[in-house]
Amino acid sequence: MSTTAKDIVQAFVVENFLFGDHAHPLAGSDSLIENGVIDSTGVLELVAFLEERFEITMADSEIVPDNLDSLDRIVAFIASKATAPIAA
Amino acid sequence: MCGFSGYLGDLPDGASLLARMTSAIAHRGPDERGTFSSKGIGLGHARLSIVGLGDGQQPMSDASGALTIAFNGEIFNYVELRDQLRAKGYSFRTSSDTEVILHLYAELGDACVTALNGDFAFALWDGRKRRLLLARDRIGVRPLFYTWNRGTLYFASEVKALLQVPGVSAAIDPIALDQIFTLWAPIAPRTAFRGIFELEPAHVMTVQGSRSTTWSYWTLDYPDRDEPPRYKNERDAAEELRARLTEATRIRMRADVPVGAYLSGGLDSSIISALAAGMSPHELKTFSVTFDSAEHDESAFQAEMAQMLGTCHSTVACGEGDIARMFPEVIRFTERPVLRTAPAPLYHLAQRVREQGLKVVLTGEGADEVFAGYDIFKEARVRRFCARQPQSQIRAHLFRKLYPYLPGLQQQSARYLSAFFGTADGALDDPLFSHRPRFKGTAATKLFFSGDLRAKLAGYDATEELASGLPKAFDRWHTLHQAQYLEGRFLLPGYILSSQGDRMAMAHGVEGRFPFLDHTLIEFAASLPPDMKLRGLTEKHILREATKDLLPASIIRRTKQPYRAPDSVSFIGPGAPDYVRTTLSEAELSANGLFNAKAVQKLHQKCAASAHPGFRDNAAFVGILSTQLWLRSFTSSAHRTELAA
């Protein structure tokens, strides 16, 4: 079975922000901020990971909760980056 | 200023127990020791001689022998009270403030506490009524812990004395741990120790026969928000503030030993040092902590103030490795887990004060609570400002201005800032609105709680308990006053005055005195309009106005720099002491059962690899480490695996 972008992001979030706690009931649509998963430093860690792992570059204007505040949003954002030019 | 211990009940070996209990807190009073025993009661005292050096021995009885007191602290208005009591016919055998309490009790009964201006905790035995009175000062400067065991009441200035009692042992209270990992401190009377309580600030407890009663004799109160302001003229308010602060400082310099001052380089301690330097009969000695890291160090401002005031200034450097070296001892004295290392440098500083031969220091503690100095007050104002226009892309940029020292925040978009600070929550009527982001961010550390601990805490919410204990008038106060109440009533005694204050200073037999926490000054400040305290985003406005002639412009204009110390980074690297590795080992974590051992191992690795760990990771690291050290210090191996029910 192939590894999806969601698997990769989920593994990073669980490992880096939940410290391997696979039992944490984090649904794909759950807010990472509201659930205390991520803080302001964590956002920057997440951006660094996404840029490196998916070979994308994120403009400042893209670093917003609309793109990054849940697993589903992150996956959708990565998909959009694969088909769209990098935002200015 | 001292430490005391005691019991109420029939004990066959009371004398030897008192000796052990008092020995456990001997650091609080290295100058003299004394005990009092009578049928059913025992009091022990370790004395730090400051007032009435030659005749203030304790426990002290009145001439009739009916009243006996063990007292920790200082009564700053004891001179005036003594004059009033003399006028009523009381005669004094000593020059101490302790005897004033005895006579005041004879005159007023339990209401004697309302006449006291001071930092105190005491146990007063009324032999005629066979009745014990325990009392604690209004703000919670001086500690008083107690527990019941087999029908006997035991009490002491620190918990370590109570742990000398056969049958009293240390076990962590899971609810207290949840509160610490959410609110930074247990909600009194709960302590970190299961079954051991603290007498709340501004409370008295009486025990007579089998009947025990506890009540509050003072409350931190604010005017209704719709009430016309009592002070409309700012100049008048500033003048009165100056007069009250000067008087509060003057009576806190009463001592038969020299009084020094802490000088952090910020506004508050600079004001107190300036006032004290003008009153001191000797060259004032001032003391500061310096740090290697530029983000924590304030030595340039400290040196400027010391030079301007002409004080004899000493610094103690808190360098790489110092915090980790001291931390186990620090936790032995805080007697509770902490989420920050900030107590450690203060432990270090008190040691230097003592080495220099001083027993008493004035500090600027309390000004941030009383005159709205903390960032959290500004943060709440900005959050309300943002909530009025949730779609605004401009307003949230103000959060960056509040936290220039948090690099992670500086780089965030306005939308993320809004999300982090909960500006779209819409819960403007939440009584904890001002503190909600802090509590939420701190509670994220509970991610590391073990499955067993989480199961025990299922359904418990520390913020709900905090909110449920707020006074009825709270809803009628201005939102700034609501936030000030939360700081002044809970965080101040629960963390600042205890873990960073009394416990660190008294570990070395040093007494801190806090002019900003004079209750008459607090009552005056509470009555001031909010805008005089927080003017726009300028904190402590009226205090700056009242004292601007005392300080250089660079200090007066200075934005508050919160007192912080390096956190997880203090315990990382090849020089880290062995205990860090062993207390955070999978074996010890699993044996204690409070935390998810594998997750903590990953946290340790992450902190070791990161130059700037985030708030949650730092707080979790220090919280877990200090909990593990607490268990090492206070529980036997048999208790480590026992979680309280």
Side-chain angles (χ1 to χ4, degrees), chain B residues 281-334:
Chain B
H282 318 285
E283 181 184 42
L284 184 70
K285 288 186 175 180
T286 52
F287 301 86
S288 302
V289 179
T290 65
F291 292 96
D292 291 343
S293 58
E295 68 172 307
H296 300 105
D297 188 59
E298 299 181 71
S299 55
F301 292 102
Q302 295 160 359
E304 181 182 358
M305 270 312 296
Q307 188 176 16
M308 180 192 150
L309 297 175
T311 64
C312 176
H313 189 61
S314 298
T315 60
V316 54
C318 196
E320 188 180 343
D322 285 332
I323 288 176
R325 178 176 52 76
M326 293 181 287
F327 206 56
E329 272 299 276
V330 167
I331 298 305
R332 198 169 72 80
F333 284 102
T334 62

Side-chain angles (χ1 to χ4, degrees), chain B residues 99-427:
Chain B
E99 192 178 5
V100 169
I101 305 176
L102 279 174
H103 291 329
L104 203 59
Y105 173 81
E107 179 68 17
L108 299 175
D110 298 345
C112 67
V113 288
T114 61
L116 302 176
N117 182 341
D119 305 333
F120 58 85
F122 63 80
L124 195 156
W125 172 245
D126 185 335
R128 288 197 190 97
K129 296 179 180 172
R130 298 200 59 73
R131 182 174 182 268
L132 179 71
L133 170 70
L134 299 177
R136 195 168 172 213
D137 65 67
R138 295 170 182 83
I139 316 301
V141 176
R142 300 300 160 219
L144 181 45
F145 298 94
Y146 66 92
T147 190
W148 292 89
N149 187 257
R150 297 182 181 179
T152 295
L153 173 69
Y154 300 91
F155 47 90
S157 300
E158 294 184 19
V159 173
K160 48 180 68 69
L162 301 178
L163 297 178
Q164 300 300 313
V165 177
V168 174
S169 59
I172 198 89
D173 181 332
I175 297 284
L177 200 62
D178 190 290
Q179 292 171 350
I180 291 169
F181 277 70
T182 305
L183 312 171
W184 296 17
I187 301 173
R190 193 183 292 274
T191 73
F193 296 83
R194 182 186 60 176
I196 295 176
F197 307 96
E198 67 172 296
L199 185 64
E200 291 184 63
H203 277 64
V204 294
M205 175 178 176
T206 58
V207 188
Q208 189 171 25
S210 59
R211 187 168 174 221
S212 163
T213 311
T214 303
W215 72 95
S216 167
Y217 65 90
W218 183 84
T219 53
L220 177 55
D221 197 13
Y222 295 92
D224 287 5
R225 61 177 166 269
D226 298 327
E227 207 175 284
R230 286 172 221 174
Y231 292 86
K232 292 179 181 167
N233 185 308
E234 188 172 294
R235 184 182 296 175
D236 291 348
E239 277 181 15
E240 184 162 350
L241 192 169
R242 176 67 170 268
R244 286 176 180 271
L245 182 60
T246 302
E247 176 62 8
T249 306
R250 185 184 72 80
I251 62 175
R252 278 164 182 75
M253 295 195 70
R254 286 173 168 167
D256 295 331
V257 296
V259 175
Y262 281 176
L263 187 54
S264 73
L267 180 71
D268 313 332
S269 64
S270 296
I271 291 169
I272 299 303
S273 292
L275 289 170
M279 299 175 193
S280 177
H282 318 285
E283 181 184 42
L284 184 70
K285 288 186 175 180
T286 52
F287 301 86
S288 302
V289 179
T290 65
F291 292 96
D292 291 343
S293 58
E295 68 172 307
H296 300 105
D297 188 59
E298 299 181 71
S299 55
F301 292 102
Q302 295 160 359
E304 181 182 358
M305 270 312 296
Q307 188 176 16
M308 180 192 150
L309 297 175
T311 64
C312 176
H313 189 61
S314 298
T315 60
V316 54
C318 196
E320 188 180 343
D322 285 332
I323 288 176
R325 178 176 52 76
M326 293 181 287
F327 206 56
E329 272 299 276
V330 167
I331 298 305
R332 198 169 72 80
F333 284 102
T334 62
E335 296 186 330
R336 65 176 59 154
V338 293
L339 304 185
R340 306 172 67 194
T341 60
L346 294 168
Y347 176 89
H348 206 19
L349 185 61
Q351 189 172 27
R352 170 59 60 89
V353 169
R354 190 66 187 185
E355 286 167 0
Q356 297 260 327
L358 263 70
K359 299 178 183 177
V360 184
V361 285
L362 301 175
T363 90
E365 209 63 80
D368 289 322
E369 289 80 0
V370 174
F371 292 105
Y374 287 127
D375 290 336
I376 203 164
F377 302 130
K378 292 188 263 187
E379 180 190 298
R381 180 165 285 184
V382 173
R383 286 171 56 227
R384 289 182 187 279
F385 174 67
C386 292
R388 289 201 289 270
Q389 286 289 342
Q391 301 308 315
S392 169
Q393 290 302 300
I394 297 170
R395 296 182 182 219
H397 288 292
L398 279 172
F399 289 116
R400 290 203 193 98
K401 181 177 159 67
L402 299 187
Y403 298 105
Y405 49 87
L406 296 179
L409 271 188
Q410 293 302 310
Q411 300 167 54
Q412 300 297 338
S413 63
R415 285 185 193 172
Y416 252 124
L417 290 169
S418 292
F420 285 129
F421 289 101
T423 57
D425 279 357

